[in-house]
Structures are given as C-alpha cells and as structure tokens.
C-alpha cells in the first residue's frame, strides 16, 4: 500500500484531475493498484497526452493487443494503448480525461461502399422506406407519406415546384409492384414528382415529371436502361437504370451548387451519426467532387470523404485529381465502374434466368448489363495503365464474368500495378468466381445486409431457395483467407452500422429465416470488415481501422460490447458518440442514450430539410413556378 499511496501522491502533484477521477471510481482504483503491484513504480514519460480515454471496454481490432483499458491521444494521433496504470505517465494538468462511462470503444468505422452525397438526398426527402426504417407498407401509405411531406413543406415545395421521395421498395409493398405515374398523379398532377427505389437504380415519375423530361410514347429506352410502358405503349412512370438516371440528373442538376452542398452536409452528419469516420462517395461527377471540396474548405467536414468519380464520364478528371492525401478531409480515391444494376429490382445481369421475377418479364429473362464489354475493358485498362484504383459495381454472375474477363486482360497487358481493385456488391457469385477474384487480387466489398432487407425476396423470387443461401458469400471468402468489406451502399440501405454488423453475423431475414448459416462470420470478423479491412481497401491501414500507436484517433462509442452480448441483439446496439481526430463529431441525443429511441433515420435537425428546400429555391433563382 505504500507504493500505491506514493503513486497517488505523485498523481496529486502531476495530474490532480486524474487522481480525482480514479479515486471517484472504485473499479479504476483497483485496476491502478493491481497494475502497480504487477508492474512496479514507473517514471513519467516526456510526451503528455491531450486526451485519455478510459472507463469502458476498448476493442482495438489489433490481433496483437485485442483489448485495452485506456488510450492516450496527442495531436489527433494515438500516443499509447494499454493498461491504465501504464498510461498514467502520459498525463499532464491539461490532459482531458474522456470517461467512457461503461460504453464500448471501437475504431471509427470505415465506409467500404456508400454514396454519402446522394445519401444526403435520402436524408432530406420524403421517407418512403418500409419498416423497420419507415412506415410505407402499400401504395396507399406511400401516397399518404408523400402528401404529409408536401403538407409539412408546402411553402417551399410550391416555390421549387418539385417533390422527391426516397426508399420505396416494391418487394415490401402489399401490392408487390412499383407505383405508377397515375399513383403519383393522385398526390399531385401539377407538381413534378420523382420517387427513388431503395436500390437507387429505379425511379417513378408522375405525368408532370415525364412531361418536363420529354418522355413520351415515342421515346426509346436508352442503352442500359428501360422505360416501362402500359398496355397502350405509354410510359407508366417506372424508369430503370439509365432511363431513370437520365430523368433524375436534370431534376437534381436544377438544384444547383447550393442543393449539392446541402446534400453533402446532410450526408456527412448522417454517416457520423452511425459511427463512420471515413465515408465513401462511390459514384460521382466532377461537379459533385468540386462541391465537396468547396464545403470541406469552407465549413470543414465532420468525417473524411473518399470520392470515386465515374470512369466512363471523367477519366481525365480522375487522373488529374486522384490522390492518397486528404485536403480538408476530402480526396479522390480512384475510378468507379458500373456493369449492371439491382438484383432485387431484376436489373442485375445473371448467368441464368431469374427464379420467379415479379413483373412483366419475358421467359428466360436474366437481366442486362448497363455497359458493353468494350466499355468495361477500356475503363479497366485505363486504371491499370495509370496505376489507379478501380471499384466496380457487379451484382449478377453474368456481370462478374465480365469483370473477371476484363481484369484478366488488363493484368496480362499491364501486370499488377498494386492498385487494389475492388468488387462492389457481388451479390450472386459462383464459388469459382470467388477463386478468380482471389487469384486476381480483388478485394470483395460485400453486402450481407441484403440478407436482412431482401433475403426473403431473393429466396422466393430472384435466385431461389438454393442459391439464396450463398448471396454475399462472406463464408466462402474467409475460407480462402481473404479480407472483405461489409457495406451499406446507402442510400440503397440506410447507413446503419449496427444493422450491418448484425446481418454479417446472423444473416437473419425480415421474416426470421437464417439465409446461409455456413456464410455467417463471428462478431470480431464482422468488425474487421467495418474497420481495418476497408481501411486496407482504401490504402489507409497505416492510419485507420484499429486502435494502435501512431494511428489517427478515430473512435466509436457503442452502448454495449458487441463481443459479449447475444448476437441476435446486435442490431439493437446504438452509436453513442463518434470521435474524429480526437474531437467528438456526433453525440447521441438523450432519448437514444437512455435507450428509449432508435437513432433518427432522417436529419437530427428538424429544420434541415426546410433549409435544404430553401437552398433549392435560391439555386433556382428564387422564382416561383
């Protein structure tokens, strides 16, 4: 006890705040005493920390030191990790003690794939998601939700002459069909309406929006897209892939820079609220990149942005701007290529017919590619020739066959430039394709959250009960010793990190079925797929993804320890705080901290959507329509 008292006397002289904190918590006092007995007295080091994190479980995601009692941080970097008694030497009078208060600290989540700017649209439009993330269950409730949103934003909707909703899912509607222009005309026949399917690959326009876009019975479907029609040959409002993008882009383009700035800010805050300290914008135009840079320079971003412009649209821009260095928290990471569409929307390219597609599809229908093989080869060759990372959207087996072929050709021609190519999604993979991706050095960024949202749909309609067992095959990947990323693809699904964790571990569907138990992984593996492995994917494993000395102080505080709770309750965990560069960028509201509420699915600031609509109004010159 003499050693303990001497140690406390030393603390009293050098770090009275820490002594007060320790003496006020009996558990910390016992830890300190035990550490002194085991390790003996130690001298104080010269480096004094800015912050000491302690008081709860710390999961480092570092196999050499899986857990810790405390983390010391200086100048935004981790100074020391280990036992509390060992880290006391880094304390000074100005050191802030960050009391975890029993909460579990893990590394900041690294977004393996998402669309953070477009996610701002999700955060600021009418919420058309189905339970548990929204309240839309049929066409009538969709119409009611839109009408209520218009009522709540009536003044500005009248000014900007536009209504946008996000997240409807025909697979979750009682009618098991997409809404039509007539369904949306019932909400408004005078104001253009566009609602976006949860996949982000399909949209529905009302008659006024189709009129303004110039889509008529005489319009032909564009390459890589479909204008759906009624029995009379008239557009029914449903637009697939490039037909949808061709109508949506001009609508959003009319919002101007101010609208995109609002998307960027809202998306960044949304990602931070789910524990992401690094966000990905997985398909952007140069205009979007420049807006992100502007927001980052003027306001700063709460999280880092890694942006991948579309390689088919902007190869020269990518080559001129790609960088491993962040400027004000933003950088261009490489190229994005999209080969096919949405598996749940039946637009992904399969190698066989869909099992039981719901809709007007011809016999033997197997989806379609969004681009040609020549376009894919040219894009991949460009990235390999210039040593630029390429991330490729490929959902169906047929699309992955295309990707494997063009990667093999590029590697034969250019060798391996060390550009860490990424497969994005890979929903329907054959096992031989996993072997091919391993041989080609491809990092799989998979989407196991699909098992929750659309697992039942895949089992019953897209691939059937046998092949549905192997969607998002994380088990096959780990059998081969491969790393993988587990992503949300927001706004396709909500960027709910705990839903990702749950789905990767349990693979439980909405109905309660377990889809492919052999493809499940343990909690620690799932956490690696959200932290250190996507950090490697982004060439940032030396700075992010684990709590180790020298790395950036990016942390997430969770309501409980995911490694000790029942895996079936992982989705109920809550993000209590997000720390970026040793600064708190998100803290859960009281209701979430007390366990009474789930995190808000749309902006925490109730005025944000209203301000966004005003930004649209200003961007359009302040003119009523």
């Amino acid at each position: 006890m003499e050693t303990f008292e001497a140690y406390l006397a030393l603390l009293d002289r050098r770090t009275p705040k820490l002594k007060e904190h320790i003496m006020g918590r009996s558990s910390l006092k016992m830890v300190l005493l035990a550490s002194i007995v085991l390790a003996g007295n130690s001298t104080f080091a010269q480096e004094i920390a800015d912050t000491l994190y302690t008081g709860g479980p710390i999961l480092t995601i570092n196999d050499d030191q899986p857990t810790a009692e405390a983390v010391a941080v200086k100048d935004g970097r981790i100074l020391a990790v280990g036992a509390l008694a060992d880290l006391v030497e880094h304390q000074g009078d100005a050191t802030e003690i960050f009391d975890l208060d029993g909460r579990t600290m893990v590394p900041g989540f690294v977004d393996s794939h998402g669309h953070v700017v477009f996610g701002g649209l999700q955060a600021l439009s009418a919420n058309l998601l189905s339970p548990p993330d929204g309240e839309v269950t049929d066409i009538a409730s969709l119409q009611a939700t839109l009408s209520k949103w218009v009522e709540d934003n009536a003044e500005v909707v009248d000014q900007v002459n536009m209504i946008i909703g996000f997240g409807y899912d025909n697979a979750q509607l009682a009618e098991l069909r997409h809404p039509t222009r007539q369904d949306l005309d019932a909400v408004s026949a005078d104001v253009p309406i566009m609602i976006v399917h949860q996949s982000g690959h399909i949209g529905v326009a009302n008659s006024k929006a189709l009129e303004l876009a110039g889509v008529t019975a005489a319009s032909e479907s564009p390459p890589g897209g479909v204008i759906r029609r009624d029995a009379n040959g008239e557009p029914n409002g449903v637009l697939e892939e490039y037909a949808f993008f061709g109508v949506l882009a001009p609508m959003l383009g009319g919002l101007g820079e101010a609208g995109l700035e609002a998307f960027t800010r809202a998306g960044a805050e949304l990602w931070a609220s789910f524990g992401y300290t690094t966000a990905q914008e997985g398909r952007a135009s140069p205009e979007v990149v420049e807006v992100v840079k502007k927001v980052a320079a003027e306001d700063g971003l709460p999280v880092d942005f890694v942006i991948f412009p579309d390689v088919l649209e902007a190869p020269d821009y990518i080559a001129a701007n790609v960088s491993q260095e962040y400027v004000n928290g933003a950088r261009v990471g490489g190229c994005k290529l999209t080969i096919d569409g949405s598996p749940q929307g039946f637009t992904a390219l399969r190698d066989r017919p869909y099992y039981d597609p719901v809709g007007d599809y011809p016999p033997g229908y197997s989806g379609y590619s969004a681009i040609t093989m020549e376009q894919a080869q040219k894009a991949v060759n460009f990235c390999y020739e210039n040593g630029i990372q390429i991330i490729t959207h490929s959902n169906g087996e047929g699309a992955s066959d295309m990707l494997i072929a063009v990667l093999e050709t590029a590697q034969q021609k250019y060798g391996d430039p060390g550009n860490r190519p990424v497969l994005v999604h890979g929903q329907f993979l054959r096992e031989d394709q996993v072997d091919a991706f391993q041989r080609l050095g491809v990092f799989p960024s998979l989407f196991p959250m699909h098992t929750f949202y659309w697992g039942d749909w895949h089992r019953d309609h897209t691939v059937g009960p046998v092949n549905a067992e192997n969607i998002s095959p994380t088990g096959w990947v780990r059998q081969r010793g491969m790393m993988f990323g587990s992503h949300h693809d927001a706004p396709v699904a909500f960027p709910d990190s705990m839903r990702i964790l749950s789905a990767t571990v349990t693979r439980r569907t909405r109905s309660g079925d377990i889809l492919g138990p052999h493809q499940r992984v343990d909690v620690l593996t799932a956490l690696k797929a959200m932290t250190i492995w996507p950090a490697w994917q982004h060439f940032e494993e030396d700075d992010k993804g684990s709590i180790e000395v020298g790395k950036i102080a990016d942390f997430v505080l969770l309501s409980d320890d995911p490694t000790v709770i029942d895996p079936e309750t992982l989705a109920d965990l809550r993000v209590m705080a997000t720390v970026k560069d040793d600064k708190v960028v998100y803290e859960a509201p009281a209701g979430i901290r007390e366990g009474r509420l789930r995190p808000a699915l749309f902006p925490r600031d109730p005025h944000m959507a209203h301000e966004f609509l005003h930004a649209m109004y200003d961007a359009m010159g302040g003119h009523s329509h």
Side-chain angles (χ1 to χ4, degrees):
M1 288 301 296
E2 291 181 2
T3 301
F4 180 63
E5 295 300 334
Y7 207 91
L8 289 180
L10 184 59
L11 282 175
D12 195 35
R13 293 195 302 272
R14 297 292 299 273
T15 55
K17 289 193 299 182
L18 182 61
K19 177 192 173 185
E20 180 181 350
H21 179 72
I22 291 174
M23 295 304 292
R25 294 173 64 90
S26 59
S27 60
L28 292 183
K29 185 163 58 176
M30 292 305 296
V31 166
L32 180 59
L33 176 58
S35 299
I36 293 170
V37 170
L38 292 173
N41 206 350
S42 62
T43 59
F44 280 80
Q46 296 300 311
E47 288 192 277
I48 301 302
D50 298 323
T51 313
L52 175 72
Y53 295 82
T54 191
I58 298 174
L59 308 180
T60 66
I61 316 299
N62 172 13
D63 290 341
D64 294 332
Q65 186 184 25
T67 62
E69 294 174 346
V71 176
V73 174
K74 180 179 177 63
D75 297 329
R77 293 268 177 177
I78 297 171
L79 179 63
V81 181
L84 175 61
D86 293 337
L87 269 61
V88 166
E89 64 182 18
H90 296 291
Q91 298 307 302
D93 291 339
T95 299
E96 176 186 354
I97 300 165
F98 193 115
D99 186 3
L100 299 179
D101 195 24
R103 298 169 294 183
T104 298
M105 190 167 88
V106 299
F109 297 133
V110 179
D111 191 359
S112 186
H113 182 67
H115 304 270
V116 64
V117 176
F118 196 28
L121 169 63
Q122 180 188 43
L124 297 170
S125 56
N127 177 9
L128 303 183
L129 294 167
S130 296
D133 300 329
E135 299 178 353
V136 172
T137 56
D138 53 21
I139 301 294
S141 59
L142 182 148
Q143 292 170 322
T145 299
L146 276 175
S147 296
K148 181 64 166 60
W149 188 85
V150 171
E151 179 184 341
D152 292 342
N153 299 279
E155 178 184 354
V156 184
V157 168
D158 180 62
Q159 292 170 339
V160 302
N161 197 43
M162 187 185 307
I163 299 168
I164 297 179
F166 194 96
Y168 88 89
D169 183 5
N170 57 302
Q172 300 302 318
L173 299 181
E175 296 84 353
L176 290 181
R177 68 170 176 85
H178 294 275
T180 65
R181 62 184 175 91
Q182 289 87 355
D183 294 324
L184 299 186
D185 288 346
V187 176
S188 178
D190 302 317
V191 179
I193 300 176
M194 173 65 79
I195 63 172
V196 183
H197 187 266
Q198 192 174 0
S199 69
H201 287 257
I202 301 171
V204 186
N206 71 344
S207 297
K208 178 59 70 172
L210 292 174
E211 175 190 331
L212 294 177
V215 177
T216 68
S219 300
E220 296 184 0
S221 294
V226 173
I227 299 172
R228 292 196 186 182
R229 304 172 191 276
D230 61 22
N232 299 318
E234 294 286 340
N236 71 357
V238 181
L239 307 167
E240 297 180 7
E241 302 296 338
Y242 277 92
F244 162 57
F245 302 146
V247 173
L248 180 65
M251 289 182 69
L252 297 182
L255 306 181
E257 190 173 285
L260 290 174
E261 288 178 12
F263 286 174
T264 300
R265 294 187 183 95
E269 290 195 10
L270 187 63
W271 262 238
S273 73
F274 285 103
Y276 286 95
T277 51
T278 300
Q280 185 188 96
E281 175 44 62
R283 187 181 185 185
S285 66
E287 292 75 19
V288 168
V289 179
E290 292 304 313
V291 167
V292 171
K293 289 181 178 179
K294 180 174 182 288
V295 173
E298 292 180 353
D299 304 334
L301 294 168
V303 301
D304 287 339
F305 274 40
V306 187
I307 313 166
F308 291 83
D310 191 315
V311 65
L312 298 181
E313 297 178 5
D316 293 339
Y317 180 87
I318 295 170
N321 288 273
V322 67
S323 175
Q324 293 297 320
E325 301 298 324
Y326 286 96
V327 177
N328 300 315
R331 69 179 179 91
V332 172
C335 303
K336 172 64 180 292
L337 179 67
T338 301
I339 293 180
D340 67 347
S342 162
Q344 69 271 28
F346 306 110
T347 63
L349 177 62
R350 300 206 63 206
D351 64 348
R352 69 200 78 178
Y354 277 93
Y355 180 72
D356 183 22
V358 178
D360 185 18
Y361 297 100
Y365 174 77
S366 59
Y368 53 90
S369 63
I371 60 174
T372 65
M373 183 67 91
E374 291 73 22
Q375 287 175 303
Q377 191 68 70
K378 182 179 179 181
V380 171
N381 283 356
F382 168 80
C383 294
Y384 271 70
E385 183 178 10
N386 291 280
I388 299 173
Q389 186 176 43
I390 182 167
I391 67 172
T392 304
H393 170 120
S394 172
N395 263 313
E397 306 98 329
S400 288
D401 282 336
M402 290 177 62
L403 177 58
I404 290 166
V406 296
L407 287 172
E408 287 178 334
T409 298
Q411 289 197 10
Q412 290 169 5
K413 185 173 183 178
Y414 301 105
D416 181 4
N419 61 341
R420 299 184 185 179
V422 177
L423 164 68
V424 175
H425 304 324
Q427 286 291 357
F428 307 153
L429 288 174
R430 303 187 307 267
E431 199 163 3
D432 67 281
Q433 292 177 323
V434 178
D435 290 331
F437 285 128
Q438 181 183 31
R439 183 180 71 252
L440 292 166
V442 174
F443 179 93
S445 178
L446 301 177
F447 200 173
M449 194 156 66
H450 246 258
T451 57
F452 173 76
Y453 283 108
W454 295 287
D456 299 315
W457 185 254
H458 289 316
R459 182 195 60 225
D460 298 339
H461 297 290
T462 64
V463 295
V466 175
N467 290 316
E469 296 285 297
N470 297 316
I471 65 170
S472 300
T474 54
W476 285 348
V477 167
R478 289 306 296 150
Q479 287 170 14
R480 289 158 175 79
M482 298 168 68
M483 298 181 288
F484 71 93
S486 188
H487 66 247
H488 48 73
D489 199 25
V492 171
F494 217 70
D496 186 342
S497 52
M498 295 301 97
R499 177 66 66 188
I500 294 175
L501 183 64
S502 171
T504 309
V505 172
T506 69
R507 293 178 67 93
R508 194 171 290 282
T509 71
R510 290 184 197 247
S511 70
D513 189 15
I514 295 177
L515 205 62
H518 60 288
Q519 299 288 5
R520 293 179 294 186
V521 299
D522 59 79
V523 172
L524 184 58
T525 298
L527 285 171
K528 288 180 177 179
M530 299 166 65
T531 53
I532 189 61
W533 290 342
W536 186 94
Q537 169 193 336
H538 289 304
F539 294 86
E540 298 189 49
E541 70 272 19
D542 291 338
D543 286 323
K544 299 176 180 177
S546 60
I547 300 176
E548 298 184 61
V549 172
K551 291 195 175 186
I552 296 171
D554 290 353
F555 310 129
V556 183
L557 274 58
L558 303 178
S559 55
D560 209 335
D561 184 344
T563 65
V564 300
I565 65 173
D566 181 351
E568 294 293 341
T569 66
L570 287 169
D572 297 326
L573 287 173
R574 295 173 299 282
V575 171
M576 310 305 288
T578 304
V579 177
K580 179 79 183 85
D581 298 323
D582 197 28
K583 297 180 177 62
V584 176
V585 295
Y586 166 77
E587 189 168 11
I592 295 176
R593 293 199 303 270
E594 296 163 5
R596 294 184 288 104
L597 300 173
R598 287 285 296 159
L601 295 182
F602 285 74
R604 297 187 306 280
D605 181 352
H607 304 295
M608 186 179 289
H610 191 69
E611 291 174 356
F612 161 69
L613 291 172
H614 273 296
M616 291 197 297
Y617 176 52
D618 294 339
M620 299 171 71
H623 301 297
S624 297
H625 293 264

